[in-house]
Amino acid sequence: MNKLKNIQKEDFYISDSSKCTYHPSQHERKLFTFIKSFEDQDTYSYLISKGFRRSQNILYNQICENCNKCIPIRININNFSFSRNHKRLIKKGNIFKRIISKKVTYEQFYLFKEYLEFKHKGSEMNNMIYADYYSMIKNTGIKTKVIEYRAKDKLVACCITDVLDDALSMVYSFYSPEFLKYSPGKFMILDHINLNKRFGKELLYLGYWVNGCREMDYKKKFNSSELLINDNWVKND
């Protein structure tokens, strides 16, 4: 079945050139299309397997000139095994209580803004208001959950997660800098691996791994991770 049967080439657009977030000396461009309704779930599943990501109701892929450093990365759950270090991180993370929610709250938004101020101070995302954050979750046309992590009832980490037929996609995760010693970014990935197994999903999409970006090196350190190279998913050795 052609999962793109309802999408014509006219439905795709190319963005203007803008400064790259990861390499400020370079410029980026995106190929993008819009999610119109829940009927586009199959289209989303297909496009994410081709390297697209979601932002609100937009699916996009990087098409930067003379640069291919943004490489889609995912974890093959069936081939994954927890290392000793993974098990230690999960044990440390026992202080977190996971709550799967559909709600969008100001508490989440304030944590989101705190994370951006700490991690991505110069990013355009810092200009987002509550309505923009709300749209990341509710105006998607996709089944989206907010995975909350609480310590003594305090919200300390969150992940906006899309639920697809065969996969979970971690759209955006954020956390309080006060809990850095618990490696919350890595912990949330490990916890999503367990969620994948619980929900019977085969894949966990992590977004892009950016070659040369130290902040993203951790994504390649999960065994059974796969990179999209020349339109083929290959095992990360």
Side-chain angles (χ1 to χ4, degrees):
M1 176 181 175
N2 181 6
K3 294 184 178 181
L4 286 178
K5 65 180 181 179
N6 293 322
I7 288 191
Q8 308 296 325
K9 62 181 180 181
E10 292 82 3
D11 291 324
F12 286 85
Y13 309 88
I14 296 177
S15 71
D16 292 333
S17 178
S18 60
K19 186 177 290 187
C20 177
T21 302
Y22 303 106
H23 297 280
S25 61
Q26 297 179 224
H27 285 75
E28 65 174 9
R29 298 188 79 181
K30 292 180 172 66
L31 175 69
F32 67 94
T33 188
F34 294 94
I35 303 170
K36 300 178 180 69
S37 70
F38 280 99
E39 294 177 357
D40 289 339
Q41 184 88 12
D42 280 352
T43 299
Y44 183 13
S45 294
Y46 177 83
L47 288 179
I48 198 171
S49 74
K50 298 299 180 181
F52 280 69
R53 295 293 294 164
R54 180 180 73 76
S55 176
Q56 298 180 347
N57 70 330
I58 297 171
L59 296 175
Y60 68 91
N61 202 351
Q62 303 293 133
I63 54 167
C64 309
E65 295 181 12
N66 303 317
C67 182
N68 57 359
K69 290 184 178 180
C70 291
I71 302 175
I73 186 168
R74 70 186 187 185
I75 295 174
N76 187 315
I77 301 301
N78 293 332
N79 297 331
F80 180 82
S81 59
F82 290 93
S83 67
R84 288 183 179 178
N85 186 50
H86 294 153
K87 291 175 182 178
R88 282 195 293 269
L89 278 177
I90 290 174
K91 187 174 181 179
K92 283 177 64 177
N94 282 339
I95 69 161
F96 301 133
K97 178 182 179 182
R98 182 216 301 141
I99 298 174
I100 301 175
S101 176
K102 296 180 182 179
K103 295 180 179 179
V104 184
T105 67
Y106 277 99
E107 184 183 25
Q108 296 165 8
F109 177 65
Y110 294 144
L111 179 63
F112 175 69
K113 296 289 281 187
E114 179 186 9
Y115 172 82
L116 290 175
E117 180 66 20
F118 151 69
K119 198 77 170 178
H120 303 290
K121 195 168 185 177
S123 169
E124 291 183 0
M125 292 182 74
N126 280 276
N127 299 324
M128 290 175 65
I129 60 175
Y130 179 74
D132 299 320
Y133 175 75
Y134 184 94
S135 292
M136 289 177 68
I137 301 161
K138 288 297 186 180
N139 298 334
T140 65
I142 295 297
K143 186 177 181 182
T144 301
K145 304 287 187 183
V146 183
I147 315 299
E148 295 184 345
Y149 297 90
R150 294 181 175 273
K152 296 182 179 179
D153 293 327
K154 179 183 178 180
L155 183 65
V156 298
C158 264
C159 186
I160 299 170
T161 303
D162 288 341
V163 182
L164 304 174
D165 288 341
D166 65 344
L168 297 180
S169 175
M170 298 178 72
V171 177
Y172 203 83
S173 58
F174 49 97
Y175 50 82
S176 169
E178 295 178 17
F179 286 78
L180 283 178
K181 68 178 182 179
Y182 295 97
S183 303
K186 294 178 184 177
F187 173 82
M188 281 189 280
I189 291 176
L190 292 170
D191 191 58
H192 272 68
I193 290 171
N194 282 327
L195 280 175
N196 266 66
K197 293 180 177 181
R198 171 179 161 184
F199 295 148
K201 308 296 183 182
E202 299 175 6
L203 302 165
L204 177 62
Y205 287 94
L206 303 181
Y208 293 115
W209 168 70
V210 180
N211 191 11
C213 180
R214 290 176 56 192
E215 292 182 347
M216 289 197 174
D217 277 349
Y218 73 94
K219 290 186 179 183
K220 285 190 69 179
K221 295 180 180 179
F222 292 88
N223 60 67
S224 83
S225 64
E226 300 174 342
L227 302 174
L228 186 62
I229 308 293
N230 296 325
D231 206 31
N232 291 303
W233 288 98
V234 298
K235 186 177 180 181
N236 170 33
D237 295 322

